[in-house]
Every structure is written in structure tokens, then in C-alpha cells.
Amino acid sequence: MELYTPVLALTLVALAFAVLSIVASAFIVGPRRYNRAKSDSYECGIEPTPGAVGGGRFPVKYYTVAMTFIIFDVEIMFLVPWAVYFNQLSWFGLIAVFLFLFNITLAYAYEWRRGGLDWD
């Protein structure tokens, strides 16, 4: 039982923190002034409409930027293990990462040239 004492203590601290955070946010921290604007749903600064504005195509710029973030986030996910095992991979790892970065750089340059990183 002595080995499980730290685990039990950490579990109790985590549970107490979770409960106290919920109680504090509900009763102590936040202001209680509600209005219609705060109760409405928020759609990226655009007023929600049932269809596309003007009957045309719906803007998908938000989703393009989100997918770009995911792509470059995955790039970092692949680079971290390489950095950890850099000494063990030697030349194979170095060449593989350079090819990977070259491929990602081409995609980044393509998206930049197409204007995918502009918010206008």
C-alpha cells in the first residue's frame, strides 16, 4: 500500500482541483451580467445566415487556414522524434529530414503564392 500512496494523493489533488475550479467559475469568478449578444452563437465574426450571402459561394477561407495549420502541425510532429534520435540516425536521418523539409517547403511556397496565407 505504501507504493500507491503518492498515486492516491495525486488523484485526490487532481480531483479537488477539478471540483474547486468548477465551483469557483460558477460562483466566484465570472460576472453575472447577461445580454442577448453574449447569448448568441459566434460564427467567426460573421452573422449566421441560413445560406450563402447573396446566393453565391460560401467563403471557405477559415477552413483553408485551419487545414494549413494542421499540415504544419503534423510537420512538427514528424520533426520532434527526428531531433530526439538525431545522433542514432546519422546520414540516413539527415537526408530523410532534408527531403521531408524540401517537400514541405514546396507546399508552403505553393500556398503562399496562391494567397492561402492572406486574410484579405
Side-chain angles (χ1 to χ4, degrees):
M1 185 66 183
E2 185 177 308
L3 293 174
Y4 293 108
T5 305
V7 175
L8 182 62
L10 186 60
T11 303
L12 291 175
V13 168
L15 185 64
F17 178 75
V19 169
L20 288 175
S21 296
I22 292 172
V23 169
S25 69
F27 296 111
I28 299 171
V29 179
R32 293 272 181 204
R33 288 174 274 152
Y34 295 109
N35 60 25
R36 192 179 77 74
K38 288 184 180 180
S39 299
D40 284 346
S41 61
Y42 181 70
E43 302 243 353
C44 305
I46 302 170
E47 287 293 325
T49 57
V53 178
R57 294 176 58 185
F58 190 82
V60 293
K61 189 67 172 177
Y62 173 78
Y63 302 106
T64 305
V65 172
M67 288 303 295
T68 303
F69 170 75
I70 290 172
I71 289 169
F72 292 111
D73 194 38
V74 169
E75 174 189 1
I76 296 301
M77 184 181 70
F78 282 127
L79 287 177
V80 168
W82 171 78
V84 171
Y85 291 104
F86 177 72
N87 289 334
Q88 297 171 358
L89 294 175
S90 75
W91 286 105
F92 173 76
L94 188 65
I95 292 170
V97 164
F98 276 130
L99 289 174
F100 177 71
L101 288 176
F102 178 73
N103 191 14
I104 292 293
T105 304
L106 284 178
Y108 179 69
Y110 175 77
E111 179 137 6
W112 192 349
R113 298 267 310 194
R114 295 278 318 251
L117 302 176
D118 297 332
W119 276 102
D120 296 333

